[in-house]
Amino acid sequence: MNPAKIALITGASRGIGAATARLLASEGYAVAINYRRTEQDALALCREIEQAGGRAIAVQADVADEAEVLRLFDTVTETLGAPTVLVNNAGILMQQNRLEHIEAERVMEILRVNFLSCFLCCREAVRRMSTRHGGKGGRIVNVSSLAARTGSPNEYVDYAASKAAMDALTRGLANEVAGEGIRVNAVRPGLIYTDMHADGGEAGRVERLKTRIPLQRGGQASEVAEAIVWLATEKSSFVTGSFIDVAGGL
Ligand code: NAP
């Protein structure tokens, strides 16, 4: 195991984050699997990775909370070493609705979990990775959404706006730290089969909309993970401030 291959993936107990953890582990990364509530899923994933010969730890932390983000980074650094890869994947959406029916409290929660978490984790990663602070560099991949481009009308414009904020952060931070050994990129998934759609009140959303996708099907979490891992490794060494849409042509 190369000690410099240390990846922290937020929201990795299931869905796209779990697929990313599996793939990074298969590439020789020690992986920190962050989760908020689903401890059993996170522990089962750790066992699966270790049975395949990899190294994984599960770390509970609400990444929308600054103190918990600090504890998360300290725990990972003490246990595995300072992360050289950060994947900001944790994200939520809420019940589909038109804008005039969405309350301020919900908007703030969406921004906290989807955007503030990304901001805080980027900050802690830069403090450890940047050559300006004595670090050895690293890669950050933000999991945005195609919603940042479409705006998700009639479903969740608050969610879409939080993802557009992630895109602006990705662009700005990429240029800010490009000379300090850190590359920052984003992946924008389209309609992917995960549990997330049930949180919007429509578990079968991908099935309903799949005929609108040029490739005529929904995507799998593992297909998104491939793009994330490419951006997280040296295979993408000349890429920063870039976006990969994994959306079947949408
Ligand atoms: P998912 O299956 O619902 O999984 C979400 C993960 O995020 C879970 O591990 C969850 O942990 C974790 N999480 C949520 N809030 C958290 C918090 N405050 N702190 C720490 N962990 C937290 O979602 P997914 O579909 O894989 O989505 C992953 C990312 O892809 C999200 O950012 C999402 O916006 C983006 N995306 C998904 C799609 C899609 O079609 N699925 C499309 C575009 C973009 P717990 O289970 O412990 O709460």
Side-chain angles (χ1 to χ4, degrees):
M1 179 82 61
N2 180 342
K5 294 177 97 174
I6 299 161
L8 166 57
I9 306 120
T10 69
S13 53
R14 51 201 176 87
I16 292 167
T20 303
R22 270 189 199 97
L23 196 54
L24 280 168
S26 75
E27 299 253 338
Y29 280 79
V31 292
I33 293 162
N34 160 251
Y35 65 98
R36 181 177 47 171
R37 296 195 190 107
T38 44
E39 181 180 30
Q40 291 313 315
D41 291 347
L43 292 175
L45 181 57
C46 283
R47 278 196 298 276
E48 179 193 323
I49 288 170
E50 292 193 335
Q51 276 163 9
R55 175 133 197 242
I57 60 166
V59 188
Q60 191 283 330
D62 177 352
V63 288
D65 181 301
E66 184 170 24
E68 297 204 15
V69 169
L70 298 182
R71 177 175 57 76
L72 170 65
F73 273 79
D74 285 347
T75 304
V76 174
T77 305
E78 281 159 22
T79 315
L80 299 176
T84 50
V85 165
L86 166 67
V87 181
N88 283 309
N89 169 77
I92 55 166
L93 49 72
M94 294 187 194
Q95 182 65 41
Q96 295 170 356
N97 221 330
R98 284 172 53 91
L99 180 144
E100 68 261 38
H101 302 304
I102 297 176
E103 301 299 331
E105 196 181 332
R106 160 177 159 166
V107 177
M108 296 313 290
E109 182 64 5
I110 290 285
L111 288 172
R112 264 173 21 88
V113 177
N114 294 355
F115 173 70
L116 181 64
S117 69
C118 176
F119 179 93
L120 293 171
C121 290
C122 283
R123 188 189 70 194
E124 293 312 304
V126 168
R127 286 176 174 171
R128 289 162 176 80
M129 293 175 181
S130 170
T131 53
R132 188 187 173 105
H133 300 297
K136 295 188 172 133
R139 281 87 59 195
I140 297 173
V141 183
N142 294 330
V143 183
S144 170
S145 171
L146 204 71
R149 283 214 277 108
T150 66
S152 300
N154 303 307
E155 290 193 322
Y156 13 70
V157 291
D158 52 347
Y159 169 83
S162 73
K163 293 297 183 176
M166 276 180 98
D167 286 4
L169 183 155
T170 302
R171 235 3 249 150
L173 182 62
N175 284 8
E176 210 165 286
V177 297
E180 300 168 25
I182 307 174
R183 293 188 295 106
V184 186
N185 292 289
V187 168
R188 283 189 293 226
L191 291 158
I192 311 299
Y193 290 102
T194 71
D195 297 339
M196 176 173 254
H197 304 287
D199 297 334
E202 190 184 5
R205 179 167 172 262
V206 181
E207 280 306 288
R208 175 173 63 86
L209 295 172
K210 70 179 181 186
T211 52
R212 295 192 199 168
I213 301 171
L215 285 183
Q216 296 287 298
R217 67 172 178 86
Q220 299 296 334
S222 58
E223 295 176 294
V224 182
E226 290 287 349
I228 295 171
V229 171
W230 185 73
L231 289 171
T233 62
E234 279 312 298
K235 289 175 184 167
S236 60
S237 51
F238 199 50
V239 181
T240 198
S242 290
F243 300 82
I244 299 179
D245 291 353
V246 184
L250 277 176

